[in-house]
Amino acid sequence: MLARGRAAGLAAFENTLPVAAYSFRAAAICLPIFMFFKDQTSTPDDVVLSLFVDLLLFAASWAGFALASLYLAKALGVADSWPRFIAAWNWSAVVQYLALAVLSLPGLLLDKGGLLDLGGLLALFYALWMEWFVARHALRLSALGAAGFVALDLGIAVFLGGFAARITG
């Protein structure tokens, strides 16, 4: 329901820490898609380092956002809703990754660019919207407040991506 913009989908997630903890299993579902879309041009000597850095980047980004979002939720006075939010955020990531895979596949397989690359861009916009939607409704935030959670996630990803690029050079 969340994937279709229905806030009633949040009812599927209890607002408890065990439910939030269980939801991190979504990362295991998303990891293969993440690794598929990583740069595949590494030389054989760099493959192990690149793989190790990519795995660390994935875990640090996922866990880093969860931790940072808890502190942001506390600062905004909505920490009581954070377990439901993070559970919905984690599971909605599965939908986002699947949308990215499906919408980007034609451009990757046909390697034509142009309109076929538009699928990946649409998937990115969908993912940003979905993160915003989950934050807005799970935490009962204003549109701007929810955008802050999306910006936090993007900021962490950009920072860690830049850090990883420096390591793998």
Side-chain angles (χ1 to χ4, degrees):
M1 290 177 72
L2 291 175
R4 294 181 292 142
R6 306 267 193 275
L10 289 167
F13 306 102
E14 291 181 28
N15 193 32
T16 65
L17 288 177
V19 168
Y22 182 84
S23 72
F24 282 90
R25 293 178 185 205
I29 296 168
C30 296
L31 181 61
I33 298 170
F34 173 83
M35 295 305 291
F36 177 78
F37 283 102
K38 292 307 292 176
D39 182 20
Q40 306 296 324
T41 61
S42 299
T43 63
D45 296 336
D46 297 334
V47 169
V48 173
L49 175 63
S50 181
L51 178 64
F52 182 70
V53 170
D54 288 344
L55 289 172
L56 284 177
L57 171 74
F58 181 81
S61 181
W62 204 292
F65 173 75
L67 184 59
S69 71
L70 175 58
Y71 284 101
L72 183 55
K74 285 181 181 180
L76 295 174
V78 294
D80 59 321
S81 300
W82 182 84
R84 175 174 281 127
F85 161 71
I86 205 64
W89 183 84
N90 281 335
W91 289 115
S92 71
V94 173
V95 176
Q96 295 167 35
Y97 273 78
L98 290 172
L100 176 66
V102 168
L103 293 174
S104 298
L105 209 50
L108 289 172
L109 292 177
L110 301 175
D111 198 32
K112 299 287 184 193
L115 284 178
L116 294 177
D117 289 338
L118 183 62
L121 185 60
L122 290 173
L124 174 63
F125 286 132
Y126 175 71
L128 294 173
W129 169 82
M130 185 174 250
E131 283 193 40
W132 174 86
F133 183 83
V134 168
R136 179 148 194 224
H137 293 282
L139 297 171
R140 299 175 305 278
L141 295 170
S142 67
L144 187 58
F149 280 82
V150 175
L152 175 65
D153 188 25
L154 289 175
I156 290 169
V158 168
F159 172 77
L160 291 174
F163 184 71
R166 290 185 63 117
I167 290 173
T168 57

